[in-house]
Amino acid sequence: MNVEGGKVSDVAGREGTPPARVVEFTTPRAKLIEEANQAIRTDLAEYPRALAAYEALRADPEALAHWDMANYITMRKLGYNDHGRVHAFITGAASMAITELLLEAGVKTDIMESGVGGAEDVFLAVILGTMLHDIGNQIHRVGHEGHGVALALPILDRIMGPLYPDPFKRTKVRSFILGAINCHDLNPAPLTLEGGITAVADGTDITKGRGRKAFSLGSVDIHSISALAVDQVVIEKGRDKPVLINVTMNNSGGIFQVEEILAPKVIRTPMRRFVELRATTREEGDEQILSKVRLDGDHFVMDLESGERVAVEVMDTQKQVQKAVVENLGIGNDSR
């Protein structure tokens, strides 16, 4: 899957691998949503229960209202990037691509490891959790994860009731969905692989198309400016790990998006063992400081234009806050 500037289409992958998918961000909103919809439906074609759940969700009036109101608060009141329908569908498509790559590589997610269900239940949980993860923003950005759990419950019960006649299994599968919603922003970090997929899929929506609207509305800050520096995000089969995420930037400013948003969602989730993350700058871009970045553990290894290679620790905002608390209180992260 390739996130670029305006459409969802298939592109050739490496020899012997399935084609990657392209999701760009310059086309009209309705067209982008429909292209993401087609990509999701294709991925769920072999899983009728998961596909039925997705179709019910995308037509659910309550879900549609939640997406619109979440977007109103985040964009109009806070000046943030899109957190509504477009974000829901784009991250939904990303989550399906990631899930497919993991299962193709023989990775067993927590739904499977726990004995709760199989691949179809995994796809169902991931698509519902990912597409509903940000609806809590309509109440407030602060605590939006918990708000999202409360708002999602009646929707999930309405959708899953006919699909899971056994309330015992339905409740167990639902718990994975609620966990993904609650943990997508790493506050707290997810404990399940399903939650990790949702978090990473959320982190991949960092291209310039998402930042342009916030910028045009007057939100001129490091977030909106750096978002304009990210041209493309490609999700494909990795060489050493099941999933490779390639970020292409038009200038080095995009590295802020990678460090602050995407890298922490790889490092601090169960997805860490399964994802390679790389970022490069286009040769024709602005004057460059660095040419290539890859994630190695919790450090970025950067190739500078000077030919020098340096490694720096990834320090996202939440990690900085945690470190400051520990230093000021003189305690460790684990108080037990």
Side-chain angles (χ1 to χ4, degrees), residues 206 229-234 244-259 262-263 276-282 288 290-296 300-305:
I206 57 173
V230 179
D231 283 343
Q232 188 179 57
V233 178
V234 178
L244 170 62
I245 301 176
N246 261 317
V247 180
T248 302
M249 305 175 291
N250 55 59
N251 70 71
S252 304
I255 196 62
F256 176 83
Q257 289 288 99
V258 179
E259 178 175 29
L262 179 53
E276 301 174 51
L277 174 58
R278 299 178 185 273
T280 58
T281 53
R282 295 190 187 276
Q288 303 303 321
L290 55 85
S291 60
K292 186 180 299 183
V293 180
R294 64 180 173 84
L295 187 65
D296 186 0
F300 278 137
V301 178
M302 299 185 288
D303 294 336
L304 306 184
E305 283 295 300

Side-chain angles (χ1 to χ4, degrees), residues 42-101:
T42 297
D43 286 334
L44 295 179
E46 296 181 12
Y47 306 101
R49 183 159 55 186
L51 179 59
Y54 164 70
E55 295 288 10
L57 175 65
R58 76 184 187 96
D60 189 277
E62 194 172 343
L64 293 170
H66 285 335
W67 287 325
D68 288 351
M69 291 312 300
N71 218 28
Y72 177 77
I73 294 297
T74 53
M75 294 192 72
R76 296 292 177 176
K77 295 300 181 180
L78 296 174
Y80 287 2
N81 295 339
D82 181 278
H83 284 75
R85 295 193 200 188
V86 172
H87 180 57
F89 278 84
I90 290 298
T91 55
S95 73
M96 294 294 90
I98 293 170
T99 302
E100 188 172 42
L101 289 169

Side-chain angles (χ1 to χ4, degrees), residues 191-267:
L191 300 176
T192 67
L193 200 49
E194 285 79 8
I197 294 169
T198 291
V200 172
D202 182 30
T204 61
D205 191 7
I206 57 173
T207 64
K208 61 187 179 183
R210 190 174 186 220
R212 186 177 291 113
K213 186 68 179 291
F215 190 88
S216 67
L217 289 173
S219 179
V220 182
D221 57 18
I222 187 61
H223 294 276
S224 60
I225 292 172
S226 65
L228 297 178
V230 179
D231 283 343
Q232 188 179 57
V233 178
V234 178
I235 301 170
E236 58 186 324
K237 184 176 182 179
R239 290 188 174 90
D240 302 317
K241 295 182 179 181
V243 180
L244 170 62
I245 301 176
N246 261 317
V247 180
T248 302
M249 305 175 291
N250 55 59
N251 70 71
S252 304
I255 196 62
F256 176 83
Q257 289 288 99
V258 179
E259 178 175 29
E260 183 71 13
I261 299 174
L262 179 53
K265 295 193 172 189
V266 174
I267 294 171

Side-chain angles (χ1 to χ4, degrees), residues 145 179-180 182-192 195-196 199 264-270 318 322:
E145 305 96 328
N182 191 55
C183 301
H184 75 272
D185 228 12
L186 310 183
N187 185 33
L191 300 176
T192 67
K265 295 193 172 189
V266 174
I267 294 171
R268 295 172 54 198
T269 74
Q318 289 189 16
Q322 291 172 353

